[in-house]
Short mmCIF file of all heavy atoms in Angstrom, two decimals:
data_model
loop_
_atom_site.label_atom_id
_atom_site.label_comp_id
_atom_site.label_asym_id
_atom_site.label_seq_id
_atom_site.Cartn_x
_atom_site.Cartn_y
_atom_site.Cartn_z
N ARG E 850 -120.95 107.35 12.54
CA ARG E 850 -121.57 108.46 13.23
C ARG E 850 -123.09 108.33 13.33
O ARG E 850 -123.76 107.84 12.30
CB ARG E 850 -121.24 109.80 12.51
CG ARG E 850 -121.67 111.01 13.21
CD ARG E 850 -121.35 112.30 12.37
NE ARG E 850 -119.89 112.56 12.51
CZ ARG E 850 -119.37 113.19 13.52
NH1 ARG E 850 -120.06 113.55 14.52
NH2 ARG E 850 -118.11 113.39 13.50
N TYR E 851 -123.56 108.67 14.49
CA TYR E 851 -125.12 108.59 14.64
C TYR E 851 -125.79 109.58 13.83
O TYR E 851 -125.41 110.75 13.83
CB TYR E 851 -125.45 108.69 16.13
CG TYR E 851 -126.90 108.80 16.39
CD1 TYR E 851 -127.66 107.55 16.40
CD2 TYR E 851 -127.58 110.03 16.43
CE1 TYR E 851 -129.07 107.63 16.63
CE2 TYR E 851 -128.86 110.05 16.73
CZ TYR E 851 -129.65 108.93 16.83
OH TYR E 851 -130.97 108.97 16.96
N ARG E 852 -126.84 109.21 13.11
CA ARG E 852 -127.60 110.04 12.32
C ARG E 852 -129.12 109.85 12.59
O ARG E 852 -129.64 108.73 12.29
CB ARG E 852 -127.32 109.94 10.87
CG ARG E 852 -125.90 110.23 10.40
CD ARG E 852 -125.58 109.81 9.06
NE ARG E 852 -126.25 110.61 8.09
CZ ARG E 852 -127.13 110.22 7.20
NH1 ARG E 852 -127.52 108.89 7.18
NH2 ARG E 852 -127.67 110.98 6.34
N SER E 853 -129.85 110.71 13.17
CA SER E 853 -131.13 110.50 13.52
C SER E 853 -132.18 110.36 12.33
O SER E 853 -133.20 109.85 12.49
CB SER E 853 -131.73 111.54 14.54
OG SER E 853 -131.79 112.82 13.88
N ILE E 854 -131.68 110.82 11.22
CA ILE E 854 -132.50 110.72 10.02
C ILE E 854 -132.84 109.28 9.68
O ILE E 854 -133.74 109.00 8.96
CB ILE E 854 -131.84 111.51 8.83
CG1 ILE E 854 -132.85 111.65 7.74
CG2 ILE E 854 -130.63 110.70 8.29
CD1 ILE E 854 -132.38 112.58 6.58
N GLU E 855 -131.96 108.36 10.19
CA GLU E 855 -132.21 106.95 9.94
C GLU E 855 -133.44 106.43 10.71
O GLU E 855 -133.95 105.37 10.38
CB GLU E 855 -130.90 106.14 10.19
CG GLU E 855 -129.75 106.51 9.35
CD GLU E 855 -129.84 106.35 7.89
OE1 GLU E 855 -130.80 105.59 7.44
OE2 GLU E 855 -129.15 107.01 7.09
N ALA E 856 -133.68 107.10 11.78
CA ALA E 856 -134.70 106.69 12.72
C ALA E 856 -135.27 107.94 13.37
O ALA E 856 -135.08 108.19 14.57
CB ALA E 856 -134.25 105.64 13.79
N PRO E 857 -135.99 108.83 12.67
CA PRO E 857 -136.37 110.05 13.16
C PRO E 857 -137.35 110.08 14.26
O PRO E 857 -137.43 110.98 15.10
CB PRO E 857 -137.06 110.77 11.91
CG PRO E 857 -137.39 109.63 10.99
CD PRO E 857 -136.32 108.58 11.18
N TYR E 858 -138.03 108.88 14.52
CA TYR E 858 -138.92 108.76 15.63
C TYR E 858 -138.21 108.62 17.00
O TYR E 858 -138.81 108.84 18.05
CB TYR E 858 -139.84 107.57 15.53
CG TYR E 858 -139.02 106.23 15.24
CD1 TYR E 858 -138.43 105.55 16.30
CD2 TYR E 858 -138.81 105.83 13.99
CE1 TYR E 858 -137.74 104.39 16.10
CE2 TYR E 858 -138.00 104.71 13.73
CZ TYR E 858 -137.44 103.94 14.80
OH TYR E 858 -136.75 102.82 14.58
N GLN E 859 -136.85 108.59 16.88
CA GLN E 859 -136.02 108.58 18.12
C GLN E 859 -135.82 110.01 18.64
O GLN E 859 -135.31 110.12 19.77
CB GLN E 859 -134.66 107.80 17.89
CG GLN E 859 -134.81 106.37 17.67
CD GLN E 859 -133.47 105.83 17.22
OE1 GLN E 859 -132.44 106.49 17.26
NE2 GLN E 859 -133.46 104.54 16.99
N ARG E 860 -136.12 110.97 17.82
CA ARG E 860 -135.65 112.34 18.12
C ARG E 860 -136.47 112.89 19.39
O ARG E 860 -135.76 113.46 20.31
CB ARG E 860 -135.96 113.28 16.93
CG ARG E 860 -135.06 112.96 15.78
CD ARG E 860 -135.37 113.78 14.60
NE ARG E 860 -134.40 113.58 13.50
CZ ARG E 860 -134.73 113.87 12.21
NH1 ARG E 860 -135.89 114.39 11.85
NH2 ARG E 860 -133.77 113.68 11.27
N GLU E 861 -137.72 112.80 19.39
CA GLU E 861 -138.47 113.46 20.45
C GLU E 861 -138.15 112.90 21.87
O GLU E 861 -138.02 113.78 22.80
CB GLU E 861 -140.03 113.40 20.25
CG GLU E 861 -140.85 114.06 21.21
CD GLU E 861 -142.29 114.17 20.94
OE1 GLU E 861 -142.73 113.50 19.99
OE2 GLU E 861 -143.01 114.90 21.73
N PRO E 862 -138.04 111.59 22.04
CA PRO E 862 -137.62 111.20 23.38
C PRO E 862 -136.34 111.78 23.82
O PRO E 862 -136.23 112.04 25.04
CB PRO E 862 -137.54 109.65 23.27
CG PRO E 862 -138.45 109.36 22.13
CD PRO E 862 -138.34 110.46 21.15
N MET E 863 -135.37 111.94 22.86
CA MET E 863 -134.13 112.58 23.39
C MET E 863 -134.25 113.96 23.73
O MET E 863 -133.47 114.40 24.58
CB MET E 863 -133.06 112.24 22.23
CG MET E 863 -132.64 110.84 22.13
SD MET E 863 -131.26 110.53 20.95
CE MET E 863 -132.01 110.65 19.38
N ILE E 864 -135.08 114.70 22.84
CA ILE E 864 -135.34 116.17 23.30
C ILE E 864 -136.03 116.23 24.69
O ILE E 864 -135.65 117.02 25.56
CB ILE E 864 -136.18 116.69 22.19
CG1 ILE E 864 -135.31 116.88 20.90
CG2 ILE E 864 -136.55 118.18 22.52
CD1 ILE E 864 -136.04 117.24 19.63
N VAL E 865 -137.02 115.36 24.95
CA VAL E 865 -137.76 115.35 26.12
C VAL E 865 -136.84 115.03 27.34
O VAL E 865 -136.88 115.61 28.37
CB VAL E 865 -138.97 114.41 26.02
CG1 VAL E 865 -139.60 114.25 27.40
CG2 VAL E 865 -139.99 114.87 25.02
N ALA E 866 -135.92 114.04 27.11
CA ALA E 866 -135.04 113.67 28.19
C ALA E 866 -134.08 114.77 28.61
O ALA E 866 -133.53 114.76 29.74
CB ALA E 866 -134.17 112.41 27.82
N SER E 867 -133.98 115.79 27.73
CA SER E 867 -133.09 116.80 28.05
C SER E 867 -133.77 118.06 28.78
O SER E 867 -133.15 119.01 29.22
CB SER E 867 -132.53 117.45 26.74
OG SER E 867 -132.04 116.40 25.93
N ASP E 868 -135.14 117.98 28.90
CA ASP E 868 -135.91 119.06 29.50
C ASP E 868 -135.80 118.87 31.01
O ASP E 868 -136.17 117.88 31.53
CB ASP E 868 -137.36 118.91 29.05
CG ASP E 868 -138.19 120.04 29.48
OD1 ASP E 868 -137.89 120.74 30.51
OD2 ASP E 868 -139.30 120.30 28.81
N PRO E 869 -135.27 119.93 31.71
CA PRO E 869 -135.12 119.87 33.12
C PRO E 869 -136.37 119.78 33.87
O PRO E 869 -136.35 119.38 35.10
CB PRO E 869 -134.37 121.20 33.51
CG PRO E 869 -134.67 122.11 32.31
CD PRO E 869 -134.88 121.24 31.13
N ARG E 870 -137.54 120.04 33.24
CA ARG E 870 -138.78 119.92 33.93
C ARG E 870 -139.26 118.47 33.99
O ARG E 870 -140.17 118.09 34.70
CB ARG E 870 -139.83 120.77 33.23
CG ARG E 870 -139.56 122.25 33.29
CD ARG E 870 -140.46 122.97 32.36
NE ARG E 870 -140.37 122.51 30.98
CZ ARG E 870 -140.99 122.96 29.92
NH1 ARG E 870 -142.05 123.83 30.13
NH2 ARG E 870 -140.79 122.58 28.71
N VAL E 871 -138.71 117.62 33.17
CA VAL E 871 -139.08 116.25 33.06
C VAL E 871 -138.32 115.36 34.07
O VAL E 871 -137.06 115.31 34.00
CB VAL E 871 -138.92 115.70 31.61
CG1 VAL E 871 -139.29 114.16 31.57
CG2 VAL E 871 -139.79 116.41 30.58
N ARG E 872 -139.04 114.72 34.93
CA ARG E 872 -138.37 113.87 35.98
C ARG E 872 -138.57 112.38 35.71
O ARG E 872 -137.79 111.65 36.18
CB ARG E 872 -138.96 114.25 37.38
CG ARG E 872 -138.87 115.67 37.70
CD ARG E 872 -137.42 116.23 37.96
NE ARG E 872 -136.81 115.49 38.94
CZ ARG E 872 -136.91 115.86 40.25
NH1 ARG E 872 -137.71 116.87 40.60
NH2 ARG E 872 -136.36 115.17 41.20
N LEU E 873 -139.54 112.05 34.91
CA LEU E 873 -139.73 110.65 34.52
C LEU E 873 -140.21 110.54 33.13
O LEU E 873 -141.18 111.27 32.70
CB LEU E 873 -140.77 110.06 35.55
CG LEU E 873 -141.30 108.62 35.10
CD1 LEU E 873 -140.21 107.57 35.18
CD2 LEU E 873 -142.53 108.30 36.00
N MET E 874 -139.58 109.64 32.37
CA MET E 874 -140.00 109.42 30.97
C MET E 874 -140.17 107.91 30.85
O MET E 874 -139.29 107.12 31.37
CB MET E 874 -139.02 109.86 30.00
CG MET E 874 -139.36 109.70 28.57
SD MET E 874 -138.38 110.61 27.35
CE MET E 874 -136.89 109.58 27.35
N VAL E 875 -141.20 107.54 30.14
CA VAL E 875 -141.54 106.10 29.93
C VAL E 875 -141.61 105.79 28.47
O VAL E 875 -142.29 106.47 27.71
CB VAL E 875 -142.88 105.74 30.66
CG1 VAL E 875 -143.22 104.36 30.32
CG2 VAL E 875 -142.85 106.05 32.15
N LEU E 876 -140.88 104.80 28.09
CA LEU E 876 -140.95 104.36 26.61
C LEU E 876 -141.45 102.95 26.54
O LEU E 876 -140.89 101.96 27.06
CB LEU E 876 -139.58 104.38 26.00
CG LEU E 876 -138.88 105.72 25.95
CD1 LEU E 876 -137.50 105.60 25.23
CD2 LEU E 876 -139.69 106.79 25.20
N MET E 877 -142.66 102.82 25.98
CA MET E 877 -143.27 101.55 25.85
C MET E 877 -143.23 101.25 24.30
O MET E 877 -144.12 101.78 23.56
CB MET E 877 -144.75 101.45 26.28
CG MET E 877 -145.39 100.02 26.21
SD MET E 877 -147.02 99.92 26.96
CE MET E 877 -148.03 100.88 25.77
N TRP E 878 -142.16 100.60 23.88
CA TRP E 878 -141.88 100.41 22.47
C TRP E 878 -141.78 98.87 22.05
O TRP E 878 -141.46 98.10 22.87
CB TRP E 878 -140.56 101.08 22.03
CG TRP E 878 -140.55 102.55 22.09
CD1 TRP E 878 -141.48 103.34 22.66
CD2 TRP E 878 -139.71 103.38 21.35
NE1 TRP E 878 -141.21 104.68 22.36
CE2 TRP E 878 -140.07 104.71 21.57
CE3 TRP E 878 -138.57 103.13 20.54
CZ2 TRP E 878 -139.42 105.85 20.99
CZ3 TRP E 878 -137.94 104.30 19.98
CH2 TRP E 878 -138.39 105.55 20.24
N ALA E 879 -142.01 98.64 20.93
CA ALA E 879 -141.75 97.36 20.32
C ALA E 879 -140.19 97.06 20.29
O ALA E 879 -139.41 98.06 20.39
CB ALA E 879 -142.32 97.22 18.84
N SER E 880 -139.82 95.90 20.15
CA SER E 880 -138.42 95.51 19.99
C SER E 880 -137.74 96.03 18.76
O SER E 880 -138.48 96.17 17.74
CB SER E 880 -138.16 94.06 20.31
OG SER E 880 -138.78 93.34 19.23
N GLN E 881 -136.42 96.15 18.76
CA GLN E 881 -135.68 96.59 17.54
C GLN E 881 -136.06 97.90 17.01
O GLN E 881 -135.99 98.06 15.72
CB GLN E 881 -135.80 95.40 16.49
CG GLN E 881 -135.38 94.04 16.96
CD GLN E 881 -133.98 93.98 17.35
OE1 GLN E 881 -133.16 94.56 16.70
NE2 GLN E 881 -133.60 93.42 18.48
N LEU E 882 -136.44 98.87 17.81
CA LEU E 882 -136.78 100.15 17.31
C LEU E 882 -135.74 101.19 17.78
O LEU E 882 -135.84 102.41 17.40
CB LEU E 882 -138.17 100.60 17.68
CG LEU E 882 -139.32 99.87 16.95
CD1 LEU E 882 -140.73 100.37 17.46
CD2 LEU E 882 -139.21 100.02 15.50
N GLY E 883 -134.84 100.81 18.66
CA GLY E 883 -133.78 101.75 19.01
C GLY E 883 -133.89 102.25 20.51
O GLY E 883 -133.35 103.36 20.79
N LYS E 884 -134.71 101.62 21.36
CA LYS E 884 -134.66 102.02 22.78
C LYS E 884 -133.21 102.06 23.31
O LYS E 884 -132.95 103.00 24.07
CB LYS E 884 -135.57 101.09 23.58
CG LYS E 884 -137.06 101.07 23.23
CD LYS E 884 -137.85 100.35 24.23
CE LYS E 884 -137.38 98.90 24.57
NZ LYS E 884 -137.51 98.01 23.42
N SER E 885 -132.49 101.01 22.96
CA SER E 885 -131.20 100.98 23.56
C SER E 885 -130.24 102.13 23.16
O SER E 885 -129.42 102.70 23.78
CB SER E 885 -130.42 99.71 23.24
OG SER E 885 -131.09 98.59 23.89
N THR E 886 -130.46 102.62 21.80
CA THR E 886 -129.70 103.67 21.27
C THR E 886 -130.06 105.01 22.03
O THR E 886 -129.16 105.75 22.45
CB THR E 886 -129.99 103.76 19.86
OG1 THR E 886 -129.47 102.61 19.14
CG2 THR E 886 -129.23 105.05 19.19
N ILE E 887 -131.35 105.16 22.30
CA ILE E 887 -131.78 106.34 23.11
C ILE E 887 -131.11 106.34 24.50
O ILE E 887 -130.57 107.41 25.02
CB ILE E 887 -133.28 106.43 23.14
CG1 ILE E 887 -133.89 106.73 21.74
CG2 ILE E 887 -133.73 107.49 24.11
CD1 ILE E 887 -135.34 106.52 21.66
N VAL E 888 -131.27 105.19 25.15
CA VAL E 888 -130.59 105.02 26.43
C VAL E 888 -129.04 105.42 26.47
O VAL E 888 -128.61 106.18 27.28
CB VAL E 888 -130.82 103.62 26.95
CG1 VAL E 888 -129.93 103.32 28.26
CG2 VAL E 888 -132.32 103.32 27.31
N GLU E 889 -128.45 104.82 25.42
CA GLU E 889 -127.02 105.09 25.36
C GLU E 889 -126.74 106.51 25.09
O GLU E 889 -125.71 107.10 25.64
CB GLU E 889 -126.37 104.27 24.21
CG GLU E 889 -126.49 102.77 24.52
CD GLU E 889 -126.53 101.94 23.19
OE1 GLU E 889 -126.15 102.51 22.18
OE2 GLU E 889 -126.98 100.77 23.34
N ASN E 890 -127.51 107.22 24.27
CA ASN E 890 -127.25 108.64 23.99
C ASN E 890 -127.53 109.54 25.23
O ASN E 890 -126.78 110.46 25.40
CB ASN E 890 -128.12 109.13 22.78
CG ASN E 890 -127.68 108.53 21.49
OD1 ASN E 890 -126.53 107.99 21.39
ND2 ASN E 890 -128.64 108.47 20.58
N ILE E 891 -128.47 109.11 26.00
CA ILE E 891 -128.69 109.85 27.27
C ILE E 891 -127.57 109.69 28.22
O ILE E 891 -127.09 110.66 28.79
CB ILE E 891 -130.03 109.41 27.95
CG1 ILE E 891 -131.32 109.86 27.12
CG2 ILE E 891 -130.20 109.85 29.44
CD1 ILE E 891 -132.56 109.12 27.59
N ILE E 892 -127.05 108.54 28.32
CA ILE E 892 -125.80 108.26 29.17
C ILE E 892 -124.59 109.01 28.62
O ILE E 892 -123.87 109.62 29.38
CB ILE E 892 -125.61 106.77 29.23
CG1 ILE E 892 -126.68 106.13 30.09
CG2 ILE E 892 -124.19 106.44 29.92
CD1 ILE E 892 -126.66 104.57 29.99
N GLY E 893 -124.36 108.90 27.27
CA GLY E 893 -123.21 109.49 26.69
C GLY E 893 -123.16 111.01 26.92
O GLY E 893 -122.13 111.56 27.26
N ARG E 894 -124.33 111.68 26.72
CA ARG E 894 -124.35 113.07 26.93
C ARG E 894 -124.13 113.44 28.36
O ARG E 894 -123.45 114.45 28.66
CB ARG E 894 -125.72 113.55 26.39
CG ARG E 894 -125.89 115.12 26.54
CD ARG E 894 -126.81 115.49 27.50
NE ARG E 894 -127.32 116.87 27.40
CZ ARG E 894 -128.14 117.44 28.28
NH1 ARG E 894 -128.79 116.73 29.13
NH2 ARG E 894 -128.53 118.74 28.08
N ALA E 895 -124.67 112.67 29.26
CA ALA E 895 -124.50 112.92 30.65
C ALA E 895 -123.06 112.75 31.07
O ALA E 895 -122.53 113.63 31.79
CB ALA E 895 -125.36 111.95 31.59
#
């Protein structure tokens, strides 16, 4: 089971991606920090 407490910095991008006022979000991150997990969660919820 996914638990954001393991990587709490992933929380805000997922909250922002849910805001209907946001049309474009940009993540400039180092590798191995969980960008793919955020992408997958956005897709899964959709």
Side-chain angles (χ1 to χ4, degrees):
R850 186 180 290 276
Y851 174 80
R852 299 171 68 246
S853 67
I854 195 171
E855 302 296 340
Y858 53 84
Q859 295 176 0
R860 291 171 178 163
E861 185 174 5
M863 289 190 282
I864 294 171
V865 170
S867 313
D868 188 333
R870 298 168 298 177
V871 175
R872 304 293 297 277
L873 170 63
M874 183 168 75
V875 176
L876 299 180
M877 183 173 70
W878 285 23
S880 61
Q881 302 300 313
L882 288 180
K884 294 191 305 297
S885 292
T886 300
I887 293 172
V888 167
E889 293 151 20
N890 289 343
I891 291 171
I892 291 170
R894 185 251 196 177

